[in-house]
Coordinates of all heavy atoms in Angstrom, one line a residue:
K599 N 68.1 -44.5 38.5 CA 67.4 -45.2 37.5 C 67.3 -44.4 36.2 O 67.5 -45.0 35.1 CB 65.9 -45.6 37.9 CG 65.8 -46.6 39.0 CD 64.4 -46.9 39.4 CE 64.3 -47.9 40.5 NZ 62.9 -48.1 41.0
L600 N 67.1 -43.1 36.3 CA 67.0 -42.3 35.1 C 68.4 -42.1 34.5 O 68.5 -42.1 33.2 CB 66.5 -40.9 35.5 CG 65.0 -40.7 35.8 CD1 64.7 -39.4 36.4 CD2 64.2 -40.9 34.6
L601 N 69.4 -42.1 35.3 CA 70.8 -42.0 34.7 C 71.1 -43.2 33.9 O 71.7 -43.2 32.8 CB 71.8 -41.7 35.8 CG 71.9 -40.3 36.3 CD1 72.9 -40.3 37.5 CD2 72.3 -39.3 35.2
V602 N 70.7 -44.4 34.5 CA 71.0 -45.7 33.8 C 70.2 -45.7 32.4 O 70.8 -46.0 31.4 CB 70.5 -46.9 34.6 CG1 70.5 -48.1 33.8 CG2 71.4 -47.0 35.8
L603 N 69.0 -45.3 32.4 CA 68.2 -45.2 31.2 C 68.8 -44.3 30.1 O 68.9 -44.6 29.0 CB 66.7 -44.8 31.5 CG 65.9 -45.8 32.2 CD1 64.5 -45.2 32.6 CD2 65.6 -47.1 31.4
E604 N 69.2 -43.1 30.6 CA 69.7 -42.1 29.6 C 71.1 -42.5 29.2 O 71.4 -42.3 28.0 CB 69.8 -40.7 30.3 CG 68.4 -40.1 30.6 CD 67.6 -39.9 29.3 OE1 68.2 -39.6 28.3 OE2 66.4 -40.1 29.4
A605 N 71.9 -43.1 30.0 CA 73.2 -43.5 29.6 C 73.2 -44.6 28.6 O 74.0 -44.7 27.7 CB 74.0 -44.0 30.9
K606 N 72.2 -45.5 28.7 CA 72.1 -46.6 27.7 C 71.8 -46.1 26.3 O 72.1 -46.7 25.3 CB 71.0 -47.6 28.2 CG 71.4 -48.5 29.3 CD 70.3 -49.5 29.6 CE 70.7 -50.5 30.7 NZ 69.6 -51.4 31.0
K607 N 71.1 -44.9 26.2 CA 70.8 -44.4 24.9 C 72.1 -44.0 24.2 O 72.1 -44.0 22.9 CB 69.9 -43.1 25.1 CG 68.5 -43.5 25.7 CD 67.7 -42.2 25.8 CE 66.4 -42.5 26.5 NZ 65.6 -41.3 26.7
N608 N 73.1 -43.5 24.9 CA 74.3 -43.1 24.2 C 75.5 -43.2 25.3 O 75.8 -42.3 26.0 CB 74.2 -41.7 23.7 CG 75.4 -41.3 22.8 OD1 76.5 -41.9 22.9 ND2 75.2 -40.3 22.0
L609 N 76.1 -44.4 25.3 CA 77.1 -44.7 26.3 C 78.3 -43.8 26.1 O 78.9 -43.4 27.1 CB 77.5 -46.2 26.2 CG 76.6 -47.2 26.8 CD1 77.0 -48.6 26.5 CD2 76.5 -47.0 28.4
R610 N 78.7 -43.5 24.9 CA 79.9 -42.7 24.7 C 79.6 -41.2 25.1 O 80.6 -40.5 25.4 CB 80.3 -42.8 23.2 CG 80.9 -44.1 22.9 CD 82.2 -44.4 23.7 NE 82.6 -45.8 23.7 CZ 82.3 -46.6 24.8 NH1 81.7 -46.2 25.8 NH2 82.7 -47.9 24.7
E611 N 78.4 -40.8 25.0 CA 78.0 -39.4 25.5 C 78.1 -39.4 27.0 O 78.6 -38.4 27.6 CB 76.6 -39.1 25.0 CG 76.2 -37.7 25.5 CD 76.9 -36.5 24.8 OE1 77.5 -36.8 23.7 OE2 76.8 -35.4 25.3
A612 N 77.6 -40.5 27.7 CA 77.6 -40.5 29.1 C 79.0 -40.8 29.7 O 79.4 -40.3 30.7 CB 76.6 -41.6 29.6
F613 N 79.8 -41.7 29.0 CA 81.1 -42.1 29.4 C 82.1 -41.8 28.3 O 82.6 -42.7 27.7 CB 81.1 -43.6 29.8 CG 80.1 -44.0 30.8 CD1 79.0 -44.7 30.5 CD2 80.3 -43.6 32.1 CE1 78.1 -45.0 31.4 CE2 79.4 -44.0 33.1 CZ 78.3 -44.7 32.8
P614 N 82.5 -40.6 28.1 CA 83.6 -40.3 27.2 C 84.9 -40.6 27.9 O 85.4 -39.9 28.7 CB 83.5 -38.8 26.9 CG 82.8 -38.2 28.1 CD 81.9 -39.3 28.6
L615 N 85.4 -41.8 27.6 CA 86.6 -42.3 28.3 C 87.8 -41.4 28.2 O 88.1 -41.0 27.1 CB 86.9 -43.7 27.9 CG 85.8 -44.8 28.1 CD1 86.2 -46.1 27.6 CD2 85.4 -44.9 29.6
D616 N 88.5 -41.2 29.3 CA 89.7 -40.4 29.2 C 90.8 -41.2 28.6 O 90.7 -42.4 28.5 CB 90.1 -39.9 30.6 CG 90.3 -41.1 31.5 OD1 91.5 -41.6 31.5 OD2 89.4 -41.5 32.2
P617 N 91.9 -40.5 28.1 CA 93.0 -41.3 27.4 C 93.6 -42.4 28.2 O 94.0 -43.4 27.7 CB 94.0 -40.2 27.1 CG 93.2 -38.9 27.0 CD 92.1 -39.1 28.0
V618 N 93.7 -42.2 29.5 CA 94.3 -43.2 30.4 C 93.4 -44.5 30.4 O 93.9 -45.6 30.2 CB 94.4 -42.7 31.8 CG1 94.9 -43.8 32.8 CG2 95.4 -41.5 31.9
A619 N 92.1 -44.3 30.5 CA 91.2 -45.5 30.5 C 91.1 -46.1 29.1 O 91.1 -47.3 29.0 CB 89.8 -45.0 30.9
E620 N 91.2 -45.3 28.1 CA 91.1 -45.8 26.7 C 92.4 -46.7 26.5 O 92.3 -47.7 25.9 CB 91.1 -44.6 25.8 CG 90.8 -45.1 24.3 CD 90.5 -43.9 23.4 OE1 91.4 -43.0 23.4 OE2 89.4 -43.8 22.8
Q621 N 93.5 -46.2 26.9 CA 94.8 -47.0 26.7 C 94.7 -48.3 27.5 O 95.1 -49.4 26.9 CB 96.0 -46.2 27.2 CG 96.5 -45.1 26.3 CD 97.0 -45.7 25.0 OE1 98.1 -46.5 25.0 NE2 96.4 -45.4 23.9
F622 N 94.1 -48.3 28.6 CA 93.9 -49.5 29.4 C 93.1 -50.5 28.6 O 93.4 -51.7 28.5 CB 93.3 -49.2 30.8 CG 93.1 -50.4 31.6 CD1 94.1 -50.8 32.5 CD2 91.9 -51.2 31.6 CE1 93.9 -51.9 33.4 CE2 91.8 -52.3 32.4 CZ 92.8 -52.6 33.3
L623 N 92.0 -50.1 28.0 CA 91.1 -50.9 27.3 C 91.8 -51.5 26.0 O 91.6 -52.6 25.6 CB 89.8 -50.2 26.9 CG 88.9 -49.8 28.0 CD1 87.6 -49.2 27.5 CD2 88.6 -51.0 28.9
F624 N 92.6 -50.6 25.3 CA 93.3 -51.1 24.2 C 94.3 -52.2 24.5 O 94.4 -53.2 23.8 CB 94.1 -50.0 23.5 CG 93.2 -49.0 22.8 CD1 93.7 -47.7 22.5 CD2 91.9 -49.3 22.4 CE1 92.9 -46.8 21.8 CE2 91.1 -48.4 21.7 CZ 91.6 -47.1 21.4
R625 N 95.0 -52.1 25.7 CA 95.9 -53.1 26.1 C 95.2 -54.4 26.4 O 95.6 -55.5 26.0 CB 96.6 -52.6 27.4 CG 97.6 -51.5 27.1 CD 98.0 -50.8 28.5 NE 98.7 -51.8 29.3 CZ 98.8 -51.7 30.6 NH1 98.1 -50.7 31.3 NH2 99.4 -52.6 31.3
L626 N 94.0 -54.3 27.1 CA 93.3 -55.5 27.5 C 92.7 -56.2 26.3 O 92.7 -57.4 26.2 CB 92.1 -55.0 28.5 CG 91.4 -56.2 29.1 CD1 92.3 -57.0 30.1 CD2 90.2 -55.6 29.9
D627 N 92.3 -55.4 25.3 CA 91.7 -56.0 24.1 C 92.8 -56.7 23.3 O 92.6 -57.8 22.8 CB 91.1 -54.9 23.3 CG 90.4 -55.4 22.0 OD1 89.4 -56.2 22.1 OD2 90.9 -55.1 20.9
L628 N 94.0 -56.1 23.3 CA 95.1 -56.8 22.6 C 95.4 -58.1 23.2 O 95.6 -59.1 22.5 CB 96.3 -55.8 22.7 CG 97.6 -56.3 21.9 CD1 97.3 -56.3 20.4 CD2 98.8 -55.4 22.2
L629 N 95.5 -58.2 24.6 CA 95.7 -59.5 25.2 C 94.6 -60.5 25.0 O 94.8 -61.7 24.8 CB 95.9 -59.3 26.7 CG 97.3 -59.3 27.3 CD1 98.1 -58.2 26.7 CD2 97.3 -59.3 28.8
G630 N 93.4 -60.0 25.0 CA 92.2 -60.9 24.7 C 92.3 -61.5 23.4 O 91.9 -62.7 23.2
R631 N 92.8 -60.7 22.4 CA 92.9 -61.3 21.0 C 94.0 -62.3 20.8 O 94.0 -63.2 20.1 CB 93.0 -60.1 20.0 CG 91.7 -59.4 19.8 CD 91.9 -58.3 18.7 NE 92.4 -57.1 19.2 CZ 93.5 -56.5 18.7 NH1 94.3 -57.1 17.8 NH2 94.0 -55.4 19.2
H632 N 95.1 -62.0 21.5 CA 96.3 -62.9 21.4 C 96.4 -64.1 22.4 O 97.0 -65.1 22.1 CB 97.6 -62.1 21.5 CG 97.9 -61.3 20.3 ND1 97.3 -60.1 20.0 CD2 98.7 -61.5 19.2 CE1 97.7 -59.6 18.9 NE2 98.6 -60.4 18.4
F633 N 95.7 -63.9 23.5 CA 95.6 -65.0 24.5 C 94.2 -65.3 24.8 O 93.7 -65.1 25.9 CB 96.4 -64.6 25.8 CG 97.8 -64.3 25.6 CD1 98.3 -63.0 25.8 CD2 98.7 -65.2 25.2 CE1 99.6 -62.7 25.6 CE2 100.0 -65.0 25.0 CZ 100.5 -63.7 25.2
S634 N 93.5 -65.8 23.8 CA 92.0 -66.0 23.9 C 91.6 -67.0 25.0 O 90.5 -67.0 25.6 CB 91.4 -66.4 22.6 OG 92.0 -67.6 22.1
G635 N 92.5 -67.9 25.3 CA 92.2 -69.0 26.3 C 92.4 -68.6 27.7 O 92.1 -69.4 28.6
R636 N 92.9 -67.4 28.0 CA 93.2 -67.0 29.4 C 92.1 -66.3 30.1 O 92.2 -65.9 31.2 CB 94.5 -66.2 29.4 CG 95.7 -66.9 28.9 CD 97.0 -66.2 29.2 NE 98.1 -66.9 28.7 CZ 99.4 -66.5 28.9 NH1 99.6 -65.5 29.7 NH2 100.4 -67.2 28.3
G637 N 91.0 -66.1 29.4 CA 89.8 -65.5 30.1 C 89.8 -64.0 30.3 O 89.1 -63.5 31.2
F638 N 90.6 -63.3 29.5 CA 90.6 -61.8 29.6 C 89.2 -61.3 29.2 O 88.7 -61.6 28.1 CB 91.7 -61.2 28.8 CG 93.0 -61.4 29.3 CD1 93.9 -62.4 28.8 CD2 93.5 -60.6 30.4 CE1 95.2 -62.6 29.3 CE2 94.8 -60.8 30.9 CZ 95.6 -61.8 30.3
P639 N 88.6 -60.5 30.1 CA 87.2 -60.0 29.7 C 87.2 -59.0 28.6 O 88.2 -58.3 28.4 CB 86.7 -59.4 31.0 CG 88.0 -58.9 31.7 CD 89.0 -59.9 31.4
K640 N 86.1 -58.9 27.9 CA 86.0 -57.9 26.8 C 85.2 -56.8 27.4 O 84.0 -56.9 27.6 CB 85.3 -58.5 25.6 CG 85.2 -57.6 24.4 CD 84.7 -58.2 23.2 CE 84.6 -57.3 22.0 NZ 85.9 -56.8 21.6
I641 N 85.8 -55.7 27.6 CA 85.1 -54.5 28.1 C 84.6 -53.7 27.0 O 85.3 -52.9 26.4 CB 86.0 -53.7 29.1 CG1 86.5 -54.5 30.2 CG2 85.3 -52.4 29.6 CD1 87.4 -53.8 31.2
D642 N 83.3 -53.9 26.7 CA 82.6 -53.2 25.6 C 81.4 -52.5 26.1 O 81.2 -52.4 27.3 CB 82.3 -54.2 24.4 CG 81.6 -55.4 24.9 OD1 81.1 -55.4 26.1 OD2 81.4 -56.3 24.1
D643 N 80.5 -52.1 25.2 CA 79.3 -51.5 25.6 C 78.4 -52.4 26.4 O 77.8 -51.9 27.4 CB 78.5 -51.0 24.3 CG 79.1 -49.8 23.6 OD1 80.1 -49.3 24.2 OD2 78.6 -49.4 22.6
A644 N 78.3 -53.6 26.1 CA 77.5 -54.6 26.9 C 78.1 -54.7 28.3 O 77.3 -54.8 29.3 CB 77.5 -55.9 26.2
F645 N 79.4 -54.7 28.4 CA 80.0 -54.8 29.7 C 79.6 -53.5 30.6 O 79.3 -53.7 31.8 CB 81.6 -54.8 29.6 CG 82.4 -54.9 30.8 CD1 82.7 -56.1 31.4 CD2 82.7 -53.7 31.5 CE1 83.5 -56.1 32.5 CE2 83.4 -53.7 32.7 CZ 83.8 -55.0 33.2
L646 N 79.7 -52.3 30.0 CA 79.4 -51.1 30.7 C 77.9 -51.1 31.1 O 77.5 -50.7 32.2 CB 79.7 -49.9 29.8 CG 81.2 -49.6 29.7 CD1 81.4 -48.4 28.7 CD2 81.8 -49.2 31.1
E647 N 77.0 -51.5 30.1 CA 75.6 -51.5 30.4 C 75.3 -52.4 31.6 O 74.4 -52.0 32.5 CB 74.8 -52.0 29.2 CG 74.7 -51.0 28.1 CD 73.7 -51.4 27.1 OE1 72.9 -52.3 27.3 OE2 73.7 -50.8 26.0
D648 N 75.9 -53.6 31.7 CA 75.7 -54.5 32.9 C 76.1 -53.8 34.2 O 75.5 -54.1 35.2 CB 76.5 -55.8 32.7 CG 75.9 -56.6 31.6 OD1 74.7 -56.4 31.2 OD2 76.6 -57.5 31.1
R649 N 77.1 -52.9 34.1 CA 77.6 -52.4 35.4 C 77.1 -50.9 35.6 O 77.6 -50.3 36.5 CB 79.1 -52.4 35.3 CG 79.6 -53.8 35.5 CD 81.0 -54.0 34.9 NE 81.4 -55.4 35.1 CZ 81.0 -56.5 34.4 NH1 80.2 -56.3 33.4 NH2 81.5 -57.7 34.6
L650 N 76.2 -50.5 34.8 CA 75.7 -49.1 35.0 C 75.1 -48.9 36.3 O 75.4 -47.8 36.9 CB 74.6 -48.8 33.9 CG 75.2 -48.3 32.5 CD1 74.0 -48.2 31.5 CD2 75.9 -47.0 32.7
P651 N 74.3 -49.8 36.9 CA 73.7 -49.5 38.2 C 74.8 -49.2 39.3 O 74.6 -48.4 40.2 CB 73.0 -50.8 38.6 CG 72.6 -51.3 37.2 CD 73.8 -51.0 36.3
Q652 N 75.9 -49.9 39.2 CA 77.0 -49.6 40.2 C 77.8 -48.4 39.9 O 78.3 -47.6 40.7 CB 77.9 -50.8 40.4 CG 78.8 -51.2 39.3 CD 79.6 -52.4 39.5 OE1 79.2 -53.5 39.2 NE2 80.8 -52.2 40.1
L653 N 77.9 -48.1 38.6 CA 78.6 -46.9 38.1 C 77.9 -45.6 38.5 O 78.6 -44.6 38.8 CB 78.9 -46.9 36.6 CG 80.0 -47.8 36.1 CD1 79.9 -48.0 34.6 CD2 81.3 -47.3 36.5
V654 N 76.6 -45.6 38.5 CA 75.8 -44.3 38.7 C 75.6 -44.1 40.2 O 74.9 -43.1 40.6 CB 74.5 -44.3 38.0 CG1 74.7 -44.5 36.5 CG2 73.5 -45.4 38.5
K655 N 76.0 -45.0 41.1 CA 75.8 -44.8 42.5 C 76.3 -43.4 43.0 O 77.4 -43.1 42.8 CB 76.5 -45.9 43.3 CG 75.9 -47.3 43.2 CD 74.5 -47.3 43.9 CE 73.9 -48.7 43.9 NZ 72.5 -48.7 44.4
G656 N 75.4 -42.7 43.6 CA 75.7 -41.4 44.1 C 75.8 -40.3 43.1 O 76.1 -39.1 43.5
C657 N 75.6 -40.6 41.8 CA 75.7 -39.6 40.8 C 74.3 -38.9 40.5 O 73.3 -39.5 40.7 CB 76.2 -40.2 39.5 SG 77.9 -40.8 39.6
K658 N 74.4 -37.7 40.0 CA 73.2 -37.0 39.6 C 73.2 -36.4 38.2 O 72.2 -35.9 37.7 CB 73.0 -35.8 40.6 CG 72.8 -36.2 42.0 CD 72.7 -35.0 43.0 CE 72.6 -35.5 44.4 NZ 72.5 -34.3 45.3
S659 N 74.3 -36.6 37.5 CA 74.4 -36.0 36.2 C 75.5 -36.8 35.4 O 76.3 -37.5 35.9 CB 74.8 -34.5 36.2 OG 76.1 -34.4 36.8
F660 N 75.5 -36.5 34.1 CA 76.6 -37.1 33.2 C 77.9 -36.5 33.6 O 78.9 -37.1 33.5 CB 76.3 -36.7 31.7 CG 75.3 -37.7 31.1 CD1 74.6 -38.6 31.8 CD2 75.0 -37.6 29.7 CE1 73.7 -39.5 31.3 CE2 74.2 -38.5 29.1 CZ 73.5 -39.5 29.9
H661 N 77.9 -35.2 34.1 CA 79.1 -34.6 34.6 C 79.7 -35.5 35.7 O 81.0 -35.7 35.7 CB 78.9 -33.2 35.1 CG 80.1 -32.5 35.7 ND1 81.1 -32.1 34.9 CD2 80.4 -32.3 37.0 CE1 82.1 -31.6 35.7 NE2 81.6 -31.7 37.0

Side-chain angles (χ1 to χ4, degrees):
K599 288 178 182 177
L600 285 171
L601 282 177
V602 168
L603 289 174
E604 293 298 324
K606 282 183 178 180
K607 294 177 183 178
N608 192 335
L609 282 171
R610 289 296 162 260
E611 179 71 17
F613 302 106
L615 298 179
D616 61 85
V618 173
E620 191 173 57
Q621 282 291 298
F622 183 90
L623 293 185
F624 287 162
R625 292 166 61 205
L626 190 63
D627 183 64
L628 184 67
L629 255 66
R631 284 186 277 119
H632 284 81
F633 300 114
S634 57
R636 299 194 183 186
F638 287 100
K640 184 175 181 60
I641 299 180
D642 53 11
D643 287 357
F645 179 93
L646 286 175
E647 283 192 16
D648 288 343
R649 287 156 180 80
L650 277 176
Q652 68 182 93
L653 283 169
V654 303
K655 286 292 183 185
C657 295
K658 298 177 181 178
S659 66
F660 278 7
H661 175 73

